[in-house]
């Protein structure tokens, strides 16, 4: 991985949990704890961005939000480089491994 490249982790969801996920953290809470965990492991090489599927900010986010709704995906949905890595409760170890496989070194 190029030293100046930053991996963007996208967390799609809503402020409210889906009915199947009421016992889990909200998408906003998930984005917050993911950001803290990834910052500790990878520093500034990884950035987390929360996207509200009800109010996406650009066309790409809108298209992916539509897909989440149309395919009834469980949110939060965690995406890196257009690949869905988690639906519902993300597994931190799997995310770490995926990011390391992209060439990002832990700090």
């Amino acid at each position: 991985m190029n030293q100046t490249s930053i991996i963007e982790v996208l967390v799609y969801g809503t402020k409210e949990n889906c009915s199947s996920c009421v016992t889990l953290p909200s998408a906003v809470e998930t984005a917050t704890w993911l950001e803290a965990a990834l910052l500790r492991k990878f520093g500034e090489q990884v950035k987390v961005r929360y996207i509200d599927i009800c109010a996406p900010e650009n066309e790409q986010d809108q298209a992916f939000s539509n897909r989440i709704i149309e395919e009834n995906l469980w949110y939060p949905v965690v995406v890196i480089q257009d690949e869905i890595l988690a639906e519902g409760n993300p597994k931190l170890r799997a995310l770490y491994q995926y990011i390391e496989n992209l060439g990002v070194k832990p700090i």
Side-chain angles (χ1 to χ4, degrees):
M1 184 183 94
N2 184 323
Q3 290 291 1
T4 60
S5 296
I6 295 174
I7 300 299
E8 187 173 47
V9 178
L10 304 176
V11 179
Y12 289 86
T14 64
K15 293 181 174 116
E16 306 289 321
N17 282 359
C18 66
S19 57
S20 302
C21 305
V22 292
T23 60
L24 298 174
S26 71
V28 174
E29 292 168 327
T30 298
T32 300
W33 73 256
L34 269 180
E35 183 174 45
L38 294 173
L39 185 63
R40 279 192 305 274
K41 178 113 176 151
F42 299 107
E44 300 295 322
Q45 302 172 93
V46 177
K47 174 182 151 191
V48 175
R49 184 165 64 96
Y50 168 74
I51 297 135
D52 187 329
I53 63 173
C54 298
E57 296 179 7
N58 60 51
E59 287 182 27
Q60 183 177 2
D61 293 345
Q62 178 69 58
F64 210 92
S65 295
N66 290 344
R67 177 180 171 195
I68 290 168
I69 293 165
E70 290 165 6
E71 295 181 17
N72 292 318
L73 300 178
W74 288 16
Y75 43 86
V77 176
V78 179
V79 177
I80 299 176
Q81 296 183 342
D82 297 324
E83 185 169 338
I84 296 174
L85 297 178
E87 287 181 61
N89 189 20
K91 304 292 183 244
L92 200 50
R93 184 176 292 172
L95 294 176
Y96 286 164
Q97 186 65 53
Y98 186 86
I99 292 168
E100 287 181 32
N101 288 345
L102 293 174
V104 179
K105 303 285 186 223
I107 57 171

